[in-house]
Amino acid sequence: MTVRRNVTPWASATLVLTALLTTSCGGAGSNTATPGAGSPAAAPHGYVEGAREAAEQQSRLILNDPGTGNTRILDLITGQVHTTAQVKDAVRLETDGRFGYLHTPGGIHVLDSGVWMVDHGDHVHYYSTATRDVGELPAGGRAQVRSDAAVTAVTDEDGLTLLYDRGKLEKGEIASPRTLPGTHTGAVVPYEEHLLAFTNEGGATGLVILDREGRRVASPDVTCEEPRGDAVTRRGVIIGCADGALLVRARNGVFTAEEIPYGETDVPTEERATAFRRRPGSDTLTAAAGDEAVWVLDVTERTWTRVNTGQAVAVNTAGEGSPLLVLETDGALHVYDSATGEQTAQTKPLLADGRWAGPDGSAPVIEVDRSRAYVNDPEGKKVFEIDYNDGLRIARSFDLDVRPVLMAETGR
């Protein structure tokens, strides 16, 4: 194994190690079903048994009211609303692009939204099938779930990680998990047929690269104090740290870990980026920067930009060159130019004054895809669809029979 160090112009450390990787359109870890040697005829490229392939993204919204447990899946193509299992007392909703993970004090409820995307780099496949209630994963409300095409990693608040076969989840089954050896700080992130994790050794939190059995491939000499928040982009995995972020990449069988500092001498703890929002596949990330500003992280340029927006309830962007969307406490959606910090547009209030924060502390979110943004109004029992490329025009509004307190978009 070879490790070499590169120094960037801003004195960030780049650590490189060799690792065995396999990537191909129909290879291991993809959702593509390949017939066996005895098959009478080869299936079409991208074929997935039981699913319908489409030329365009098949988006759905998972919606949940923690108070009643009522859960709905809204099909954004047809406008149809699917009723699924009741899940009460959910405190958080995560998604990996297909499955919704509703975190409750008693476990994590898994819902199959029935839509997903397979990104092969030079082309993309979009699929849809029926929605399905999968069942419960045993974990506390503070557990973190991260997935790729092959494995779902559930890391609890004590750092113990269970690995589930994601292929079984796709069939509606929850297989017995494997326990990853040791404990880790923050979420364990599946990436390029390996696992990215942090261990605390000698008082410092360092990155380790593990194989899928939990064996340590390498322990690069890089630290990330208080790792919180992560996002998988086309350029690698971003992980939030106390002094900025790490960008972990795999290219030609080589992993690199590169620091992206904030560029300021001291960012207060309350102004750190600890939860990233972005359009899946985008290399531009957003995060709250305390009460009065928003961070924009350009992964391509390795730069942070702080935009003074006022108090932000939710934030997101579709990517480089797209508007920065901020839902503020006046209930309106505001647009900012990320480069200049100038506000360029805003809607009328979508949420009535005081309705942007729920009694349980939850707040609306902004989900963004390539042409539309979605804002949930829990008290109004609505979801707004915004055309952010057409003056923030309200393209559609969906009236619901539930309070959509928690919302996540799938199919991307």
Side-chain angles (χ1 to χ4, degrees):
M1 181 174 300
T2 302
V3 177
R4 67 180 182 270
R5 179 184 298 272
N6 297 323
V7 179
T8 70
W10 6 262
S12 65
T14 301
L15 299 151
V16 185
L17 55 103
T18 59
L20 181 63
L21 296 174
T22 304
T23 55
S24 66
C25 189
S30 88
N31 279 341
T32 303
T34 303
S39 299
H45 170 69
Y47 170 77
V48 174
E49 184 178 0
R52 180 178 65 87
E53 185 169 4
E56 298 179 346
Q57 180 175 297
Q58 304 295 294
S59 295
R60 292 174 182 172
L61 295 177
I62 300 177
L63 309 164
N64 173 264
D65 178 0
T68 63
N70 290 328
T71 307
R72 303 288 186 265
I73 298 178
L74 170 61
D75 190 318
L76 294 171
I77 303 298
T78 66
Q80 182 179 359
V81 177
H82 305 270
T83 299
T84 185
Q86 280 201 326
V87 184
K88 292 193 67 173
D89 302 323
V91 295
R92 193 156 40 95
L93 171 58
E94 294 180 293
T95 182
D96 58 15
R98 173 173 178 172
F99 295 96
Y101 302 95
L102 284 160
H103 295 254
T104 75
I108 299 173
H109 199 94
V110 184
L111 298 174
D112 185 351
S113 71
V115 289
W116 69 96
M117 176 190 76
V118 178
D119 186 350
H120 289 149
D122 60 344
H123 66 283
V124 175
H125 298 276
Y126 298 107
Y127 299 100
S128 65
T129 187
T131 62
R132 179 158 47 188
D133 177 33
V134 179
E136 297 276 342
L137 304 179
R142 295 174 62 186
Q144 302 180 79
V145 181
R146 303 292 185 268
S147 296
D148 65 5
V151 66
T152 295
V154 180
T155 306
D156 68 19
E157 57 189 288
D158 296 319
L160 181 68
T161 300
L162 299 179
L163 301 178
Y164 290 88
D165 184 336
R166 194 170 182 276
K168 294 291 186 182
L169 293 182
E170 292 169 3
K171 297 178 181 178
E173 306 170 15
I174 298 178
S176 296
R178 292 186 294 111
T179 302
L180 198 64
T183 58
H184 302 92
T185 302
V188 171
V189 181
Y191 176 61
E192 292 288 357
E193 300 185 5
H194 288 73
L195 300 167
L196 309 184
F198 288 91
T199 60
N200 195 316
E201 298 175 351
T205 305
L207 173 69
V208 294
I209 309 297
L210 309 173
D211 66 17
R212 290 300 169 91
E213 299 301 319
R215 292 184 293 262
R216 188 174 296 194
V217 174
S219 303
D221 183 20
V222 64
T223 60
C224 175
E225 294 304 318
E226 302 174 13
R228 290 182 61 190
D230 53 84
V232 179
T233 75
R234 285 180 177 265
R235 296 187 180 274
V237 180
I238 285 290
I239 300 168
C241 308
D243 57 356
L246 283 182
L247 172 61
V248 183
R249 294 185 292 168
R251 181 178 297 173
N252 298 325
V254 175
F255 279 100
T256 66
E258 181 179 312
E259 295 174 351
I260 308 178
Y262 284 119
E264 301 181 14
T265 56
D266 182 28
V267 173
T269 300
E270 63 274 12
E271 295 181 9
R272 282 181 48 198
T274 59
F276 296 105
R277 301 285 297 175
R278 89 289 188 202
R279 177 182 59 79
S282 168
D283 297 324
T284 303
L285 312 183
T286 65
D291 291 336
E292 300 296 332
V294 166
W295 288 112
V296 178
L297 173 57
D298 185 329
V299 180
T300 303
E301 298 297 328
R302 316 290 200 271
T303 57
W304 293 90
T305 302
R306 181 188 173 99
V307 180
N308 294 318
T309 60
Q311 189 171 4
V313 177
V315 59
N316 214 329
T317 184
E320 182 181 4
S322 295
L324 175 64
L325 304 175
V326 183
L327 181 66
E328 299 188 15
T329 53
D330 60 1
L333 188 64
H334 298 247
V335 173
Y336 292 85
D337 184 310
S338 298
T340 66
E342 178 187 359
Q343 178 174 310
T344 59
Q346 74 175 75
T347 67
K348 65 180 182 180
L350 302 176
L351 285 65
D353 185 36
R355 294 206 316 209
W356 55 268
D360 56 354
S362 60
V365 298
I366 304 171
E367 291 286 359
V368 177
D369 56 34
R370 291 186 180 276
S371 61
R372 297 290 190 267
Y374 298 92
V375 177
N376 53 321
D377 177 8
E379 297 307 314
K381 294 185 178 181
K382 288 179 180 291
V383 170
F384 295 98
E385 180 183 76
I386 310 294
D387 186 342
Y388 55 81
N389 290 316
D390 186 17
L392 298 180
R393 176 176 59 87
I394 298 178
R396 291 185 291 178
S397 64
F398 299 94
D399 294 316
L400 304 165
D401 64 343
V402 301
R403 295 173 63 249
V405 175
L406 301 177
M407 181 177 77
E409 185 176 356
T410 60
R412 303 175 299 172

